[in-house]
Amino acid sequence: MRHFAVVGSGPAGFYTAEALEKAYGDQARIDILDRYPVPYGLIRFGVAPDHQSLKAVSKRYDKVADSAGVDFIGNVTVGRDVSVGELLELYDAVILAVGSPHSRKLGIPGEDLPGVVGSADFVGWYNGHPDYVDLAPPLGGTHAAVIGNGNVALDCARILSKTRTEFEGSDIVGHALGALDTSAIRTITILGRRGPHQIAMTPKELGELGHLEAASPIVDIADFPPVEADDALEPGQRKSITILREFAATAADPAKPKRMVFDFFAKPLRIEGDGKAEKIVVERTELDENGAARGTGETYEVPASLIVTSIGYTSAPIDGVPYDERGGKFLNEGGRIGERLYAVGWARRGPSGTIGTNRPDGYEVADLVAAAMPPGSPSDRPGAEGLKRLLEGRGVMPTDYDDWRRIEETEVANARPGSPREKFVRHEEWLQTIGR
Ligand code: NAP
């Protein structure tokens, strides 16, 4: 019997557990560890609350957790309660599926002023991540800006623009819903350092902006190359650009009080304000011969008392695990970090791709593990039994999937009308719910 520890219960962790179970059948026990008693990582804390259909994938993860060879061990922080070195003593292989929980920094002056928040923090705030419950993003000014041209920037801008009725059916947490309801923000500027052809936004997500109840997307046709240039784009990107062109051809709806302004070729130079963010000084850019943004020397100011930087994520380093500072992920070759230690998902590749990208990724790493220790080969490591003994000695009380089910049932029972659940947002609340 082999024993595997998958660290992290987001999509990458669950797909890897599923793949290991398929490869080993009843010849392995797989433990999915998480620092929280609640599973799903990105699905719970990252995917936008108004994108419920994307969250439905957790049903598949439930099936994995219910299968005989897989266990969930929550409330255990690897790197604090147990080290990776200790896990490697206890398990035949350790697979890090810890994602990329931190926002990449812009590295410009003024970035630390109050009012500037990373997308990880902002997304965590409206999704009920315990680290960001008390973020209190300033919503009292009329202007906000989101820096970045990816799907997360779109999520943040859309959430800032929505009305209370548009959140019906979502699982946005009560504190965010209440705060957004009283928001004074009327203009949300989305800053891209390059042009429309270089966006990292996908058509479905962009298309949603055309159907917002209170906000009109504003796009300047002067930012586009001639329409014939769209032919060279890959079909998905061409679709996105077509949507942007439609926005450019449509006048703002006077009945909608909010504007979502796409400001292309705009590179943030610094953030200024008297003790708090008030404006971003940006430099107009153009594309150089390699398609990168090159400053033109022309600068202007974009007013914003809330600035969300949404330019990608980094993994959190773990003691004893080689880390690639530049890539913001663990140093690995095709998922292998070192002897019996692996990484999957964003911890392996960096923050790119959809939820589904993690499936082949997890299966690939499971294949590496199976090649290194073929199913049927014996092991004398204790796995969960040894881990639980060690944790007990340290006063750490792990939780299991039944505990999660109880938390979930209570969240569903607490739901406000029209919402699938009312999430608990603090670690203590999760533990209290299961009588700890
Ligand atoms: P992303 O797709 O990598 O986009 C990052 C954006 O930040 C790019 O537009 C990039 O511009 C810009 N950027 C990077 N450094 C910058 C700088 N110093 N100054 C100004 N702009 C800068 O990252 P993401 O939006 O965080 O998304 C992460 C992954 O999750 C993506 O694969 C995304 O598609 C996925 N996701 C999917 C959904 C969905 O399917 N609904 C929702 C959310 C996220 P350059 O191109 O110029 O570098």
Side-chain angles (χ1 to χ4, degrees), residues 279-353:
K279 60 188 175 206
I280 312 169
V281 179
V282 287
E283 181 177 19
R284 187 56 72 215
T285 65
E286 58 191 13
L287 294 179
D288 70 12
E289 44 293 339
N290 301 316
R294 172 172 57 206
T296 61
E298 179 198 341
T299 62
Y300 59 100
E301 293 173 354
V302 175
S305 46
L306 168 65
I307 298 166
V308 182
T309 61
S310 180
I311 61 162
Y313 293 97
T314 63
S315 293
I318 299 179
D319 267 354
V321 183
Y323 188 73
D324 165 9
E325 287 287 346
R326 230 173 131 251
K329 55 191 168 80
F330 297 106
L331 271 175
N332 71 88
E333 269 177 46
R336 186 179 179 280
I337 298 175
E339 186 69 20
R340 298 187 294 110
L341 181 61
Y342 302 84
V344 288
W346 283 9
R348 166 190 176 184
R349 310 188 312 271
S352 65

Side-chain angles (χ1 to χ4, degrees), residues 106 149-152 155 193-194 200 205 310-311 313 346 351-353:
L106 269 169
N149 267 179
N151 278 329
V152 174
D155 280 349
R193 64 178 169 182
R194 298 190 290 158
E205 284 64 30
S310 180
I311 61 162
Y313 293 97
W346 283 9
S352 65

